[in-house]
Amino acid sequence: MATIKDVAKEANVSVATVSRVINNKGYVNHETRKLVEDAIKKLNYIPNELARSLFNKQSKLLSVLIPHFGTEFYSDLVEGIENKAMKLGYKIMLCNTQDNPQREADYIQVVQRYNVDGIILASNAHNAEALINSNLPIVSVDHILAENIPSITSNNLLGGQMAAQLLIKGGAKYVLELRGPSFLLTTSERSSGFRQSLVQNNIPYISYDGDLIEPDIEKIKEIIIANPQIDSIFASTDFLAINALNIVEKLGKNVPQDIQIIGFDNIKYSNLVIPAITTINQPIKKMGELALETLIKLLNDEQLEEFHQILDVEIIERESTIQKD
Amino acid sequence: MATIKDVAKEANVSVATVSRVINNKGYVNHETRKLVEDAIKKLNYIPNELARSLFNKQSKLLSVLIPHFGTEFYSDLVEGIENKAMKLGYKIMLCNTQDNPQREADYIQVVQRYNVDGIILASNAHNAEALINSNLPIVSVDHILAENIPSITSNNLLGGQMAAQLLIKGGAKYVLELRGPSFLLTTSERSSGFRQSLVQNNIPYISYDGDLIEPDIEKIKEIIIANPQIDSIFASTDFLAINALNIVEKLGKNVPQDIQIIGFDNIKYSNLVIPAITTINQPIKKMGELALETLIKLLNDEQLEEFHQILDVEIIERESTIQKD
């Protein structure tokens, strides 16, 4: 492969001049620039981005921290981020923290070592201080890290309210709320909105906090058997909702006649099970794209119109809830 | 942040000496090494991996080319790759080609510019020649790029045979084969094995080649309506199988009594729909881990025990096929 020295020799200029042309820094007269560009073309020279990044102080490399790959939410989110990055000339270093504090801490070190330009934080941070102290531009998505770190989230509170109102409209008298861990922003906000609406309407509920990736099926089954008055279920995610549907049907109950079910996310499988699951749609890919755009604005010292962007959600009414009008 | 110059000053040695200590290259006496290491610790100096990679000619950065994020297969595969990479001290640059020849070509350029150490190719290559000519170590997974490029695949041929035999055992007399595009290795091998077994048993079949990510539901429905003698369906992937189940049930037919269905992959949703889908399990995460391990062996000039590794598959019998015995 051709090196910068080969280009300099071919163009009969110094390496420093070639470097100035490649990096668009410093003065190079038009004629010399042309000579260098022709030599680059002729030799099919590919500048080493790592060497450039040392000179430019920009690697055009961004890190995305995610807690796992186990749900469609993160596939869609990363797809949105990576799409936009490609368009804007940035590359993605993917960091799967597995929701493990040590792995996350290791990755924060890696990010600094690799001269990464910025971070999209799509996981619940265990090392919030280390992240903030890294002095790297950060945008959080689906979570909020701190008041002074920009974020992109969905209107989880409103989503929870919408879910409750739809179940109440369908005749809910006693509700089971299946949540993720309550320290997650999404879980706690969806739950707050949901409970608010139930309380306002004097509807009793019970809640169960469980794992979002590997839900405890036996435990959920026990709860449903022990509480036969349950006529409605709100699940924090569609994956939980699909699990709930499976459990309820295997118990010989009909959805939605005996038990209504509503999920959150609008993943594609929510529309492939029978009955199709009613859900709250959040624009997952768009969240990823916006997070990337916001990070690039930070890198370019551009003004952010909104520091904490909250995206609209909408209800997608399908067959797992009772439609009354 | 502390620089290498600060460390040199603190330890009262030259920058070149600090560099030798950090990179473990060249002779440094024990005492001096201790001085440098103490200075690094005291100043909390983090060496810049980019600068190191220019010196070492190794970036410890690997690229993974995938065609999309739309199916669980790639989430599981990337999780396997990234897990193993983290353990072995490598980082992953994720490249989603979107099965687009231009995006793929762009990424091949990027990989060279960033001094990436090697590539895991998990997509069907549109620029096979450019990849091979890049002279970068490559391992292909779920695909075969060339005779002299190591690969990790599942025994797709055997999987197809197993699927056919199970359907025949369940009484199949007329089969619909729902395939992905026939230029994909996985599709063509699964199909070859499947058809072989059907032909040996004189079972007639019809085939439909469609998109694996956004299947044409209306078209599949038409085919099933137009061919009422269909009593069994083999789908190239579980996602297609779940779509087929949805279509068949909405047509008022019972699975497996009227139509048996069998998929491929063993994704988690195949066990969450009712009836649960019988499928061929392939060890997706393990494929990712092995691909990464094989690539590291190539980087270290280690001998490969097997150049083209073919992993075992197994049948997971569930409720969507008829069990006779």
Tab-separated table of all heavy atoms in Angstrom, chain A residues 245-291:
chain	number	residue	atom	x	y	z
A	245	LEU	N	-48.920	-12.985	27.484
A	245	LEU	CA	-49.952	-13.578	26.617
A	245	LEU	C	-49.807	-15.099	26.613
A	245	LEU	O	-50.791	-15.834	26.753
A	245	LEU	CB	-49.801	-13.022	25.191
A	245	LEU	CG	-50.680	-13.677	24.119
A	245	LEU	CD1	-52.161	-13.462	24.431
A	245	LEU	CD2	-50.346	-13.114	22.736
A	246	ASN	N	-48.567	-15.563	26.463
A	246	ASN	CA	-48.302	-16.998	26.435
A	246	ASN	C	-48.761	-17.660	27.747
A	246	ASN	O	-49.437	-18.692	27.733
A	246	ASN	CB	-46.795	-17.217	26.208
A	246	ASN	CG	-46.433	-18.666	25.993
A	246	ASN	OD1	-46.455	-19.457	26.922
A	246	ASN	ND2	-46.137	-19.031	24.749
A	247	ILE	N	-48.423	-17.025	28.870
A	247	ILE	CA	-48.790	-17.578	30.181
A	247	ILE	C	-50.308	-17.620	30.348
A	247	ILE	O	-50.880	-18.641	30.730
A	247	ILE	CB	-48.159	-16.716	31.314
A	247	ILE	CG1	-46.635	-16.826	31.265
A	247	ILE	CG2	-48.708	-17.117	32.678
A	247	ILE	CD1	-45.902	-15.769	32.103
A	248	VAL	N	-50.953	-16.503	30.033
A	248	VAL	CA	-52.404	-16.380	30.227
A	248	VAL	C	-53.142	-17.415	29.380
A	248	VAL	O	-54.058	-18.099	29.855
A	248	VAL	CB	-52.861	-14.943	29.878
A	248	VAL	CG1	-54.375	-14.873	29.738
A	248	VAL	CG2	-52.366	-13.960	30.938
A	249	GLU	N	-52.740	-17.568	28.118
A	249	GLU	CA	-53.439	-18.512	27.241
A	249	GLU	C	-53.225	-19.948	27.699
A	249	GLU	O	-54.143	-20.765	27.630
A	249	GLU	CB	-52.960	-18.327	25.797
A	249	GLU	CG	-53.326	-16.938	25.273
A	249	GLU	CD	-53.887	-16.968	23.863
A	249	GLU	OE1	-53.341	-17.708	23.036
A	249	GLU	OE2	-54.871	-16.251	23.618
A	250	LYS	N	-52.020	-20.246	28.190
A	250	LYS	CA	-51.761	-21.609	28.671
A	250	LYS	C	-52.551	-21.917	29.946
A	250	LYS	O	-52.768	-23.072	30.280
A	250	LYS	CB	-50.268	-21.820	28.908
A	250	LYS	CG	-49.516	-22.035	27.594
A	250	LYS	CD	-48.072	-22.404	27.819
A	250	LYS	CE	-47.366	-22.610	26.480
A	250	LYS	NZ	-45.902	-22.469	26.635
A	251	LEU	N	-52.966	-20.860	30.663
A	251	LEU	CA	-53.817	-21.048	31.847
A	251	LEU	C	-55.280	-21.211	31.430
A	251	LEU	O	-56.171	-21.312	32.276
A	251	LEU	CB	-53.665	-19.871	32.814
A	251	LEU	CG	-52.339	-19.779	33.574
A	251	LEU	CD1	-52.251	-18.491	34.379
A	251	LEU	CD2	-52.167	-20.992	34.492
A	252	GLY	N	-55.550	-21.203	30.133
A	252	GLY	CA	-56.904	-21.422	29.635
A	252	GLY	C	-57.786	-20.181	29.653
A	252	GLY	O	-59.001	-20.265	29.529
A	253	LYS	N	-57.168	-19.017	29.827
A	253	LYS	CA	-57.950	-17.774	29.817
A	253	LYS	C	-57.878	-17.139	28.437
A	253	LYS	O	-56.889	-17.296	27.717
A	253	LYS	CB	-57.395	-16.791	30.854
A	253	LYS	CG	-57.612	-17.262	32.288
A	253	LYS	CD	-56.996	-16.267	33.272
A	253	LYS	CE	-57.002	-16.804	34.693
A	253	LYS	NZ	-58.214	-16.430	35.451
A	254	ASN	N	-58.930	-16.417	28.074
A	254	ASN	CA	-58.967	-15.762	26.770
A	254	ASN	C	-58.530	-14.305	26.862
A	254	ASN	O	-58.896	-13.599	27.795
A	254	ASN	CB	-60.381	-15.808	26.186
A	254	ASN	CG	-60.775	-17.218	25.798
A	254	ASN	OD1	-59.970	-17.963	25.225
A	254	ASN	ND2	-61.999	-17.604	26.143
A	255	VAL	N	-57.753	-13.899	25.868
A	255	VAL	CA	-57.337	-12.500	25.734
A	255	VAL	C	-58.074	-11.926	24.524
A	255	VAL	O	-58.032	-12.530	23.443
A	255	VAL	CB	-55.816	-12.409	25.520
A	255	VAL	CG1	-55.380	-10.965	25.270
A	255	VAL	CG2	-55.061	-12.999	26.713
A	256	PRO	N	-58.789	-10.821	24.626
A	256	PRO	CA	-58.892	-9.912	25.778
A	256	PRO	C	-60.105	-10.165	26.674
A	256	PRO	O	-60.241	-9.495	27.693
A	256	PRO	CB	-59.060	-8.558	25.091
A	256	PRO	CG	-59.870	-8.863	23.869
A	256	PRO	CD	-59.440	-10.245	23.437
A	257	GLN	N	-60.979	-11.147	26.330
A	257	GLN	CA	-62.250	-11.303	27.066
A	257	GLN	C	-62.031	-11.487	28.573
A	257	GLN	O	-62.691	-10.832	29.390
A	257	GLN	CB	-63.062	-12.482	26.509
A	257	GLN	CG	-63.525	-12.307	25.065
A	257	GLN	CD	-62.443	-12.704	24.047
A	257	GLN	OE1	-61.299	-12.990	24.421
A	257	GLN	NE2	-62.801	-12.690	22.764
A	258	ASP	N	-61.124	-12.398	28.956
A	258	ASP	CA	-60.873	-12.635	30.385
A	258	ASP	C	-59.814	-11.671	30.933
A	258	ASP	O	-59.940	-11.146	32.039
A	258	ASP	CB	-60.390	-14.077	30.615
A	258	ASP	CG	-61.415	-15.105	30.145
A	258	ASP	OD1	-62.621	-14.783	30.198
A	258	ASP	OD2	-61.013	-16.189	29.702
A	259	ILE	N	-58.761	-11.480	30.157
A	259	ILE	CA	-57.673	-10.584	30.574
A	259	ILE	C	-57.210	-9.750	29.379
A	259	ILE	O	-56.860	-10.294	28.334
A	259	ILE	CB	-56.465	-11.387	31.146
A	259	ILE	CG1	-56.896	-12.174	32.402
A	259	ILE	CG2	-55.287	-10.466	31.444
A	259	ILE	CD1	-55.733	-12.835	33.159
A	260	GLN	N	-57.236	-8.440	29.542
A	260	GLN	CA	-56.668	-7.557	28.526
A	260	GLN	C	-55.146	-7.474	28.737
A	260	GLN	O	-54.681	-7.541	29.873
A	260	GLN	CB	-57.210	-6.136	28.662
A	260	GLN	CG	-58.712	-5.967	28.597
A	260	GLN	CD	-59.072	-4.480	28.602
A	260	GLN	OE1	-59.094	-3.828	27.574
A	260	GLN	NE2	-59.345	-3.945	29.787
A	261	ILE	N	-54.396	-7.284	27.639
A	261	ILE	CA	-52.940	-7.096	27.771
A	261	ILE	C	-52.500	-5.920	26.918
A	261	ILE	O	-52.935	-5.768	25.769
A	261	ILE	CB	-52.162	-8.359	27.324
A	261	ILE	CG1	-52.517	-9.556	28.225
A	261	ILE	CG2	-50.646	-8.113	27.337
A	261	ILE	CD1	-51.814	-10.851	27.836
A	262	ILE	N	-51.632	-5.074	27.478
A	262	ILE	CA	-51.046	-3.977	26.703
A	262	ILE	C	-49.545	-3.926	26.972
A	262	ILE	O	-49.103	-4.143	28.109
A	262	ILE	CB	-51.761	-2.632	26.999
A	262	ILE	CG1	-51.217	-1.529	26.096
A	262	ILE	CG2	-51.660	-2.237	28.449
A	262	ILE	CD1	-52.120	-0.306	26.051
A	263	GLY	N	-48.764	-3.702	25.913
A	263	GLY	CA	-47.309	-3.659	26.039
A	263	GLY	C	-46.752	-2.261	25.791
A	263	GLY	O	-47.466	-1.264	25.898
A	264	PHE	N	-45.468	-2.201	25.474
A	264	PHE	CA	-44.801	-0.916	25.217
A	264	PHE	C	-43.636	-1.168	24.265
A	264	PHE	O	-42.888	-2.131	24.446
A	264	PHE	CB	-44.258	-0.331	26.525
A	264	PHE	CG	-44.183	1.174	26.552
A	264	PHE	CD1	-45.031	1.914	27.358
A	264	PHE	CD2	-43.275	1.866	25.749
A	264	PHE	CE1	-44.974	3.315	27.407
A	264	PHE	CE2	-43.210	3.254	25.778
A	264	PHE	CZ	-44.061	3.979	26.602
A	265	ASP	N	-43.473	-0.393	23.251
A	265	ASP	CA	-42.344	-0.412	22.296
A	265	ASP	C	-42.778	-0.556	20.835
A	265	ASP	O	-42.143	-0.009	19.947
A	265	ASP	CB	-41.328	-1.552	22.556
A	265	ASP	CG	-40.372	-1.260	23.695
A	265	ASP	OD1	-40.294	-0.080	24.094
A	265	ASP	OD2	-39.724	-2.189	24.190
A	266	ASN	N	-43.815	-1.377	20.604
A	266	ASN	CA	-44.237	-1.717	19.235
A	266	ASN	C	-43.125	-2.427	18.454
A	266	ASN	O	-42.744	-2.005	17.370
A	266	ASN	CB	-44.716	-0.478	18.466
A	266	ASN	CG	-45.462	-0.846	17.188
A	266	ASN	OD1	-45.980	-1.961	17.076
A	266	ASN	ND2	-45.498	0.066	16.232
A	267	ILE	N	-42.631	-3.517	19.015
A	267	ILE	CA	-41.696	-4.363	18.257
A	267	ILE	C	-42.497	-5.212	17.276
A	267	ILE	O	-43.698	-5.394	17.448
A	267	ILE	CB	-40.842	-5.275	19.177
A	267	ILE	CG1	-41.712	-6.348	19.857
A	267	ILE	CG2	-40.089	-4.449	20.207
A	267	ILE	CD1	-40.885	-7.404	20.571
A	268	LYS	N	-41.830	-5.744	16.253
A	268	LYS	CA	-42.608	-6.394	15.185
A	268	LYS	C	-43.348	-7.641	15.652
A	268	LYS	O	-44.434	-7.927	15.147
A	268	LYS	CB	-41.737	-6.682	13.951
A	268	LYS	CG	-40.561	-7.592	14.145
A	268	LYS	CD	-39.859	-7.829	12.795
A	268	LYS	CE	-38.631	-8.710	12.939
A	268	LYS	NZ	-37.464	-8.042	13.519
A	269	TYR	N	-42.803	-8.361	16.622
A	269	TYR	CA	-43.477	-9.569	17.079
A	269	TYR	C	-44.800	-9.258	17.796
A	269	TYR	O	-45.656	-10.126	17.874
A	269	TYR	CB	-42.557	-10.386	18.000
A	269	TYR	CG	-41.405	-10.987	17.238
A	269	TYR	CD1	-40.148	-10.377	17.233
A	269	TYR	CD2	-41.574	-12.139	16.476
A	269	TYR	CE1	-39.101	-10.909	16.505
A	269	TYR	CE2	-40.521	-12.679	15.746
A	269	TYR	CZ	-39.294	-12.061	15.764
A	269	TYR	OH	-38.257	-12.586	15.031
A	270	SER	N	-44.961	-8.034	18.297
A	270	SER	CA	-46.220	-7.715	18.975
A	270	SER	C	-47.388	-7.792	18.002
A	270	SER	O	-48.527	-7.984	18.391
A	270	SER	CB	-46.147	-6.327	19.634
A	270	SER	OG	-46.031	-5.311	18.656
A	271	ASN	N	-47.113	-7.674	16.723
A	271	ASN	CA	-48.164	-7.751	15.704
A	271	ASN	C	-48.207	-9.122	15.033
A	271	ASN	O	-49.000	-9.341	14.127
A	271	ASN	CB	-47.943	-6.651	14.652
A	271	ASN	CG	-49.200	-6.378	13.844
A	271	ASN	OD1	-50.313	-6.615	14.339
A	271	ASN	ND2	-49.034	-5.895	12.631
A	272	LEU	N	-47.353	-10.047	15.455
A	272	LEU	CA	-47.308	-11.375	14.819
A	272	LEU	C	-47.935	-12.452	15.693
A	272	LEU	O	-48.273	-13.523	15.208
A	272	LEU	CB	-45.859	-11.758	14.494
A	272	LEU	CG	-45.291	-11.126	13.224
A	272	LEU	CD1	-43.822	-11.463	13.077
A	272	LEU	CD2	-46.075	-11.598	11.990
A	273	VAL	N	-48.052	-12.179	17.006
A	273	VAL	CA	-48.719	-13.151	17.861
A	273	VAL	C	-50.229	-13.001	17.677
A	273	VAL	O	-50.711	-12.006	17.143
A	273	VAL	CB	-48.344	-12.952	19.353
A	273	VAL	CG1	-46.898	-13.371	19.589
A	273	VAL	CG2	-48.562	-11.509	19.785
A	274	ILE	N	-50.980	-14.043	18.081
A	274	ILE	CA	-52.443	-14.004	17.985
A	274	ILE	C	-53.003	-14.204	19.378
A	274	ILE	O	-52.679	-15.200	20.013
A	274	ILE	CB	-52.972	-15.099	17.032
A	274	ILE	CG1	-52.463	-14.817	15.606
A	274	ILE	CG2	-54.497	-15.154	17.054
A	274	ILE	CD1	-52.881	-15.855	14.574
A	275	PRO	N	-53.825	-13.283	19.909
A	275	PRO	CA	-54.201	-12.010	19.305
A	275	PRO	C	-53.025	-11.024	19.293
A	275	PRO	O	-52.175	-11.081	20.175
A	275	PRO	CB	-55.319	-11.504	20.236
A	275	PRO	CG	-55.010	-12.132	21.558
A	275	PRO	CD	-54.418	-13.470	21.248
A	276	ALA	N	-53.025	-10.125	18.299
A	276	ALA	CA	-51.975	-9.110	18.215
A	276	ALA	C	-52.044	-8.199	19.445
A	276	ALA	O	-53.133	-7.886	19.933
A	276	ALA	CB	-52.152	-8.299	16.938
A	277	ILE	N	-50.876	-7.813	19.929
A	277	ILE	CA	-50.783	-7.062	21.188
A	277	ILE	C	-50.971	-5.554	20.962
A	277	ILE	O	-50.287	-4.946	20.137
A	277	ILE	CB	-49.394	-7.278	21.823
A	277	ILE	CG1	-49.134	-8.761	22.096
A	277	ILE	CG2	-49.209	-6.421	23.069
A	277	ILE	CD1	-49.536	-9.263	23.432
A	278	THR	N	-51.884	-4.967	21.733
A	278	THR	CA	-52.010	-3.514	21.777
A	278	THR	C	-50.768	-2.950	22.476
A	278	THR	O	-50.302	-3.528	23.461
A	278	THR	CB	-53.272	-3.126	22.557
A	278	THR	OG1	-54.407	-3.568	21.814
A	278	THR	CG2	-53.356	-1.623	22.773
A	279	THR	N	-50.231	-1.846	21.973
A	279	THR	CA	-48.958	-1.368	22.528
A	279	THR	C	-48.815	0.145	22.398
A	279	THR	O	-49.621	0.800	21.741
A	279	THR	CB	-47.783	-2.093	21.820
A	279	THR	OG1	-46.552	-1.771	22.481
A	279	THR	CG2	-47.666	-1.673	20.365
A	280	ILE	N	-47.801	0.668	23.070
A	280	ILE	CA	-47.453	2.076	22.934
A	280	ILE	C	-46.234	2.145	22.016
A	280	ILE	O	-45.189	1.565	22.319
A	280	ILE	CB	-47.091	2.707	24.300
A	280	ILE	CG1	-48.171	2.426	25.349
A	280	ILE	CG2	-46.827	4.204	24.150
A	280	ILE	CD1	-49.499	3.086	25.113
A	281	ASN	N	-46.383	2.821	20.909
A	281	ASN	CA	-45.285	2.947	19.951
A	281	ASN	C	-44.353	4.075	20.356
A	281	ASN	O	-44.778	5.199	20.609
A	281	ASN	CB	-45.861	3.245	18.560
A	281	ASN	CG	-44.770	3.409	17.509
A	281	ASN	OD1	-44.038	2.475	17.222
A	281	ASN	ND2	-44.638	4.618	16.972
A	282	GLN	N	-43.046	3.764	20.424
A	282	GLN	CA	-42.062	4.845	20.563
A	282	GLN	C	-41.139	4.760	19.353
A	282	GLN	O	-40.843	3.683	18.863
A	282	GLN	CB	-41.302	4.775	21.883
A	282	GLN	CG	-40.586	3.465	22.163
A	282	GLN	CD	-39.663	3.582	23.384
A	282	GLN	OE1	-39.288	4.665	23.806
A	282	GLN	NE2	-39.288	2.438	23.931
A	283	PRO	N	-40.690	5.925	18.844
A	283	PRO	CA	-39.912	5.947	17.602
A	283	PRO	C	-38.454	5.597	17.874
A	283	PRO	O	-37.605	6.485	17.964
A	283	PRO	CB	-40.069	7.394	17.139
A	283	PRO	CG	-40.257	8.186	18.402
A	283	PRO	CD	-40.890	7.272	19.405
A	284	ILE	N	-38.155	4.286	17.952
A	284	ILE	CA	-36.850	3.832	18.443
A	284	ILE	C	-35.698	4.248	17.515
A	284	ILE	O	-34.698	4.806	17.955
A	284	ILE	CB	-36.846	2.300	18.660
A	284	ILE	CG1	-38.007	1.914	19.588
A	284	ILE	CG2	-35.519	1.835	19.255
A	284	ILE	CD1	-38.197	0.419	19.795
A	285	LYS	N	-35.870	3.977	16.205
A	285	LYS	CA	-34.792	4.349	15.281
A	285	LYS	C	-34.561	5.855	15.286
A	285	LYS	O	-33.425	6.323	15.225
A	285	LYS	CB	-35.111	3.884	13.859
A	285	LYS	CG	-34.774	2.425	13.639
A	285	LYS	CD	-34.910	1.994	12.195
A	285	LYS	CE	-34.963	0.470	12.168
A	285	LYS	NZ	-35.232	-0.086	10.851
A	286	LYS	N	-35.666	6.601	15.361
A	286	LYS	CA	-35.543	8.065	15.379
A	286	LYS	C	-34.787	8.532	16.635
A	286	LYS	O	-34.012	9.494	16.584
A	286	LYS	CB	-36.938	8.695	15.333
A	286	LYS	CG	-36.913	10.172	15.010
A	286	LYS	CD	-38.298	10.775	14.969
A	286	LYS	CE	-38.213	12.292	15.021
A	286	LYS	NZ	-39.530	12.884	15.356
A	287	MET	N	-35.016	7.851	17.740
A	287	MET	CA	-34.274	8.192	18.962
A	287	MET	C	-32.774	8.045	18.714
A	287	MET	O	-31.968	8.896	19.118
A	287	MET	CB	-34.688	7.273	20.117
A	287	MET	CG	-36.057	7.576	20.703
A	287	MET	SD	-36.643	6.257	21.825
A	287	MET	CE	-35.593	6.548	23.265
A	288	GLY	N	-32.402	6.955	18.031
A	288	GLY	CA	-30.994	6.718	17.719
A	288	GLY	C	-30.432	7.801	16.811
A	288	GLY	O	-29.336	8.332	17.044
A	289	GLU	N	-31.193	8.143	15.773
A	289	GLU	CA	-30.727	9.165	14.831
A	289	GLU	C	-30.547	10.515	15.522
A	289	GLU	O	-29.540	11.204	15.327
A	289	GLU	CB	-31.723	9.303	13.675
A	289	GLU	CG	-31.730	8.091	12.746
A	289	GLU	CD	-32.898	8.113	11.755
A	289	GLU	OE1	-33.619	9.134	11.715
A	289	GLU	OE2	-33.074	7.122	11.036
A	290	LEU	N	-31.530	10.869	16.360
A	290	LEU	CA	-31.458	12.153	17.066
A	290	LEU	C	-30.294	12.198	18.042
A	290	LEU	O	-29.635	13.235	18.204
A	290	LEU	CB	-32.755	12.412	17.828
A	290	LEU	CG	-33.877	13.062	17.026
A	290	LEU	CD1	-35.141	13.132	17.881
A	290	LEU	CD2	-33.466	14.465	16.576
A	291	ALA	N	-30.033	11.068	18.690
A	291	ALA	CA	-28.919	11.019	19.649
A	291	ALA	C	-27.617	11.300	18.906
A	291	ALA	O	-26.778	12.082	19.381
A	291	ALA	CB	-28.872	9.653	20.332
